[in-house]
Amino acid sequence: MVDVVRRFASRFAHLLVGTLAFTRHGALAAARSNQTRRVLSPVRKTVLVLIGTTLIGLGVSLFIHARLGLPPYDVLVSAIATLTDLSHGRAALAVGVGFLLLAAALGRRPNGYVLLFLVATGANVDLWTELLMDPPQLAVRILFVVFGVGAIAAGLAVIAHSSSTGGPFELVAMAAADRNLSPSTARSILEAVVIVGGIALGGDLGIATVVFAVFIGPAIASASQALDDRRDGRQHRLARTAAGADG
């Protein structure tokens, strides 16, 4: 039992360090870099991306309706949305495409899963924002933030688990690695640009922004660990079944 707890604690600590980030795109890129690559069919990858983006869209919408501030990346998106009169989802897509263009200029072109990730996330943010309502009670607004962190973390973990894409930040980080710059350093620079840019442009900053930045790392580490444990358990069950059949 003690050995099991130690192994879990060691794996959790490793995941936590690997997924340390402050924005949702940075967290996805970090989680992807720490995730063991898996060979899945295109259909399964697509389904997992759609599930993940649905959860992310729900989570971002919960922050929007909580009216206590947005996650760091969405602080910038909200500023762009205000300046351009776009919906939050469409502004998020526009910002994401901007980072894709940067990656392409540096020699890293996106695959179809990156484009699906950005389009589906933007569509889900707008869909959930229309479906949900602003709660009047502060306690419910706080719960919206808590569940928002959980939903975004779960969505990011599912997408990283699919081995399909790490989002636009991953592409820029890979381009940086091509030029002998550490991918983690590149992600940190991108996150700093996003955070400073969002604040400078007057985005929706609040206490929930800080809550997200503090807890997204541990939350995505926990979600990733749960998915890994489920996968390992399934593999053990299949191995035992095969062994029984051979016997």
Side-chain angles (χ1 to χ4, degrees):
M1 181 65 181
V2 175
D3 289 339
V4 173
V5 173
R6 284 178 180 173
R7 285 198 298 270
F8 177 83
S10 176
R11 291 176 65 186
F12 181 83
H14 181 67
L15 280 169
L16 180 57
V17 172
T19 56
L20 186 61
F22 303 106
T23 69
R24 54 186 171 95
H25 279 303
L28 175 58
R32 160 90 161 164
S33 68
N34 192 61
Q35 197 77 37
T36 302
R37 298 294 188 267
R38 306 167 62 212
V39 179
L40 298 177
S41 69
V43 172
R44 190 171 181 186
K45 285 185 178 182
T46 299
V47 170
L48 289 175
V49 170
L50 291 176
I51 292 172
T53 53
T54 299
L55 290 169
I56 294 169
L58 170 61
V60 173
S61 298
L62 286 169
F63 273 91
I64 291 173
H65 284 287
R67 293 177 286 112
L68 294 172
L70 297 176
Y73 183 83
D74 294 285
V75 172
L76 174 61
V77 171
S78 68
I80 299 300
T82 300
L83 292 172
T84 59
D85 201 28
L86 292 171
S87 67
H88 193 91
R90 291 179 180 176
L93 176 59
V95 175
V97 169
F99 284 113
L100 289 187
L101 292 175
L102 172 61
L106 294 173
R108 287 285 182 170
R109 295 181 179 179
N111 60 26
Y113 296 112
V114 183
L115 298 175
L116 175 63
F117 164 64
L118 290 178
V119 172
T121 299
N124 273 294
V125 168
D126 286 344
L127 174 63
W128 283 109
T129 302
E130 287 294 325
L131 292 175
L132 298 176
M133 298 177 61
D134 290 356
Q137 301 88 354
L138 178 60
V140 179
R141 291 161 61 194
I142 293 173
L143 284 177
F144 269 33
V145 171
V146 173
F147 284 116
V149 172
I152 293 173
L156 294 173
V158 168
I159 293 173
H161 194 70
S162 73
S163 295
S164 59
T165 178
F169 277 21
E170 179 187 50
L171 288 176
V172 177
M174 291 168 65
D178 294 338
R179 292 159 174 77
N180 298 318
L181 178 65
S182 166
S184 60
T185 300
R187 291 197 304 267
S188 298
I189 293 172
L190 289 172
E191 291 198 307
V193 168
V194 165
I195 293 170
V196 172
I199 295 173
L201 293 174
D204 190 357
L205 184 72
I207 185 62
T209 308
V210 179
V211 171
F212 183 92
V214 170
F215 289 104
I216 188 58
I220 195 173
S222 297
S224 296
Q225 184 69 66
L227 288 172
D228 285 343
D229 289 346
R230 181 181 181 279
R231 181 191 62 193
D232 293 343
R234 181 176 183 274
Q235 290 175 340
H236 288 315
R237 287 193 299 273
L238 290 175
R240 287 197 300 269
T241 301
D246 292 340

